[in-house]
Amino acid sequence: MARFFQAKKKTQLNTKHQLFTIEKLDHHGAGIAYQNRKPVFIEGGLPGEQVLAQLTESKSKYARANLIKVQKASEQRVEPICAYYQECGGCNMQHLDIESQRAYKQQTLSQLMAKFAGQSIDPEAPVVGPQQGYRRRTRISIKLNKRTQQMEFGFRKKHSQEIVTVDACPILDLELSQLIAPLHKLLQSFANQQRLGHVELVKGDNTKVIVLRHLKSLTESEQQLLQQFAEQHQATLYLMPQAEQLHRVVGERPYYQESGVTIPFEPNNFIQVNQSVNHGMVSQALAWLELKPQDRVLDLFCGLGNFSLPLAQSVSQVVGVEGVDEMVNKASANARLNHVENARFYQANLEQDVSGLPWTAEKFDKILLDPARAGASGIIDQVASLGAHRVVYVSCNPATLARDSQSLLKQGFKLQKLGMLDMFPHTSHLESMALFVKD
């Protein structure tokens, strides 16, 4: 008998405002309610709250809804510190008081480690810093609105490519935040604004940095206006005519200081955005490693030497490994600048098999890993073979930390300490540190 395909009838989405009770937060900071046992994710909702929300998506296993109104508020709810909070996509947790934010992040970290690594451990006290003015770098989007012919100058809206124009940002370093409005005004005076790509603002210990990405050449008068602006605000100006191509026009090369060393950087180099928490993070990593003068330490994903150079002050030898040639050269130069003679740096793709490379034949007492969000899957299985009995893993993604922890546990390490680093207050982004020890 012939069978004919019959398309399933599309269920009509109920877009009427409905009352939900928020049960908990997910790992991205959204509230979770339940409707007929199906989770409904509602951004902006807090546990214990009753909210009116409108469904925007309904799948077989979950649904999403927009928060319309909080009917019964949680005691943990606070007024956001930013006037643009409801529109801007930069922060997603300003409606939750700061202590509850930190408790939520610690709980998230513990849950992920218990679920994926099978390790239940009480977290150490979090490393924290100021909750405002903490960011020392940001990227500002620029777009000419074709309808209004006005320049949009600010940050991406929530779940959108559209831009919300801002004149200040309370989580940005105050000196950088104060540059936003006058810089917007200056760039609005340029004739062909479609040539402008974006602006980056970075704070060094010695200078403020302005980077302008432009898609076509600027006029001589526009360059003069930018230089005058930088000089007036005691800032360093870089122009970026092509991606990753920087021309310093005026001002000092930026640097920051960490644990007794000076680390120069270019504005397109990676540095931790929260200097206060970076101080605490480096200090805690060095303390957890229990460094001894005779130790040989391997710093994987070493970057500019944020950990390597402070480590070198307390041990016999540090070997830093980084995937990008330019960063290796800069880490070596930073070592020479600080008269650090017991640190060597190598380039290697740590996502591939590194066996056979010169430094892998050496043995190390301690290892520090600070990988990107993808984690350290390429090197993690070789940690035990490198001889270390103490490993500190710094992570910006608890999911990959939990995954890589499974390998360390199989190699005979035990998870001894776990801690949250509040690198990004008012967001759900979670930085963490774990200590693994082998008898």
Side-chain angles (χ1 to χ4, degrees):
M1 186 175 74
R3 295 185 179 182
F4 298 94
F5 171 76
Q6 286 185 323
K8 290 184 179 179
K9 290 184 179 179
K10 202 169 184 179
T11 307
Q12 187 70 28
L13 187 66
N14 181 2
T15 58
K16 289 183 179 179
H17 294 179
Q18 301 178 64
L19 190 65
F20 295 90
T21 299
I22 306 297
E23 302 288 342
K24 57 184 178 180
L25 297 179
D26 74 357
H27 292 158
H28 301 289
I32 302 178
Y34 290 89
Q35 189 177 60
N36 299 323
R37 297 186 178 181
K38 183 167 70 175
V40 182
F41 297 92
I42 306 173
E43 286 195 20
L46 295 177
E49 292 188 331
Q50 289 186 345
V51 302
L52 275 180
Q54 182 181 42
L55 288 175
T56 59
E57 182 182 11
S58 184
K59 302 288 187 181
S60 60
K61 294 185 177 180
Y62 70 91
R64 298 189 187 279
N66 283 339
L67 178 66
I68 303 300
K69 184 179 179 181
V70 177
Q71 296 283 68
K72 177 188 174 185
S74 165
E75 292 181 357
Q76 298 171 334
R77 180 172 288 277
V78 293
E79 192 67 25
I81 59 175
C82 178
Y84 307 100
Y85 179 63
Q86 301 304 329
E87 290 184 275
C88 180
C91 299
N92 68 326
M93 297 196 74
Q94 284 187 15
H95 58 287
L96 180 62
D97 73 75
I98 191 68
E99 291 304 321
S100 297
Q101 287 182 37
R102 290 166 178 162
Y104 150 76
K105 291 178 183 180
Q106 284 186 297
Q107 183 182 45
T108 296
L109 176 62
S110 295
Q111 288 174 344
L112 284 168
M113 289 296 284
K115 181 178 180 180
F116 295 106
Q119 293 283 292
S120 295
I121 184 172
D122 291 331
E124 303 288 313
V127 174
V128 302
Q131 57 175 299
Q132 295 188 42
Y134 69 82
R135 282 196 71 101
R136 58 175 169 179
R137 75 179 311 151
T138 192
R139 174 180 288 199
I140 299 173
S141 298
I142 301 175
K143 183 181 178 183
L144 182 64
N145 188 308
K146 294 180 180 179
R147 182 176 58 83
T148 64
Q149 290 300 300
Q150 293 295 309
M151 176 188 287
E152 296 174 350
F153 189 84
F155 306 113
R156 301 289 181 188
K157 293 183 178 181
K158 295 180 189 291
H159 311 298
S160 172
Q161 292 299 306
E162 295 184 11
I163 296 169
V164 54
T165 295
V166 305
D167 58 16
C169 173
I171 69 164
L172 191 60
D173 175 272
L174 180 60
E175 290 188 51
L176 297 183
S177 181
Q178 290 172 338
L179 290 174
I180 294 176
L183 189 54
H184 182 198
K185 183 178 179 181
L186 171 66
L187 295 178
Q188 279 182 310
S189 70
F190 284 22
N192 186 355
Q193 295 172 17
Q194 290 180 319
R195 291 173 302 174
L196 307 179
H198 64 261
V199 165
E200 293 184 48
L201 301 177
V202 190
K203 180 72 182 300
D205 287 358
N206 58 324
T207 184
K208 305 179 288 287
V209 177
I210 302 167
V211 181
L212 177 63
R213 172 77 169 101
H214 55 98
L215 309 177
K216 293 183 180 178
S217 297
L218 302 174
T219 67
E220 187 175 337
S221 62
E222 288 170 343
Q223 292 193 48
Q224 288 176 348
L225 286 171
L226 284 166
Q227 182 170 338
Q228 290 168 6
F229 181 92
E231 290 172 339
Q232 176 189 347
H233 290 87
Q234 297 178 311
T236 298
L237 172 67
Y238 286 81
L239 296 180
M240 186 187 288
Q242 295 181 20
E244 301 305 310
Q245 186 181 97
L246 287 168
H247 298 309
R248 179 153 53 100
V249 178
V250 66
E252 300 177 10
R253 184 187 180 198
Y255 65 78
Y256 71 91
Q257 294 182 312
E258 181 53 62
S259 303
V261 297
T262 299
I263 302 181
F265 64 94
E266 295 295 342
N268 59 342
N269 295 152
F270 173 80
I271 61 171
Q272 294 288 359
V273 301
N274 189 324
Q275 186 166 20
S276 176
V277 172
N278 188 60
H279 286 326
M281 176 178 73
V282 172
S283 297
Q284 180 170 282
L286 270 58
W288 284 13
L289 285 171
E290 294 187 357
L291 302 171
K292 295 180 173 58
Q294 68 272 22
D295 281 342
R296 303 186 76 258
V297 183
L298 177 63
D299 181 9
L300 297 170
F301 309 93
C302 67
L304 296 168
N306 187 58
F307 287 104
S308 305
L309 301 182
L311 280 166
Q313 298 178 101
S314 302
V315 300
S316 169
Q317 184 76 47
V318 172
V319 171
V321 184
E322 170 60 44
V324 181
D325 272 320
E326 180 191 5
M327 298 290 270
V328 173
N329 294 335
K330 287 182 176 178
S332 299
N334 290 345
R336 291 192 295 272
L337 174 71
N338 288 280
H339 308 290
V340 173
E341 298 179 354
N342 60 334
R344 292 180 284 120
F345 297 92
Y346 295 90
Q347 187 278 332
N349 184 346
L350 295 173
E351 296 305 313
Q352 298 178 353
D353 183 10
V354 295
S355 56
L357 296 180
W359 55 270
T360 62
E362 304 179 34
K363 295 297 181 183
F364 300 92
D365 303 289
K366 317 282 171 69
I367 293 178
L368 186 142
L369 302 98
D370 184 16
R373 289 189 62 80
S377 59
I379 188 70
I380 198 70
D381 292 343
Q382 300 176 56
V383 167
S385 67
L386 293 167
H389 58 87
R390 207 169 185 89
V391 175
V392 164
Y393 189 131
V394 179
S395 170
C396 59
N397 184 351
T400 51
L401 168 63
R403 179 201 68 200
D404 292 344
S405 296
Q406 295 177 45
S407 174
L408 291 174
L409 298 174
K410 289 177 183 176
Q411 293 174 63
F413 289 92
K414 293 180 181 178
L415 177 63
Q416 189 172 93
K417 290 184 179 182
L418 181 68
M420 190 274 288
L421 316 168
D422 199 15
M423 189 71 72
F424 308 97
H426 306 302
T427 80
S428 56
H429 294 298
L430 174 55
E431 195 98 3
S432 57
M433 184 182 296
L435 171 66
F436 298 88
V437 176
K438 192 174 186 180
D439 295 332

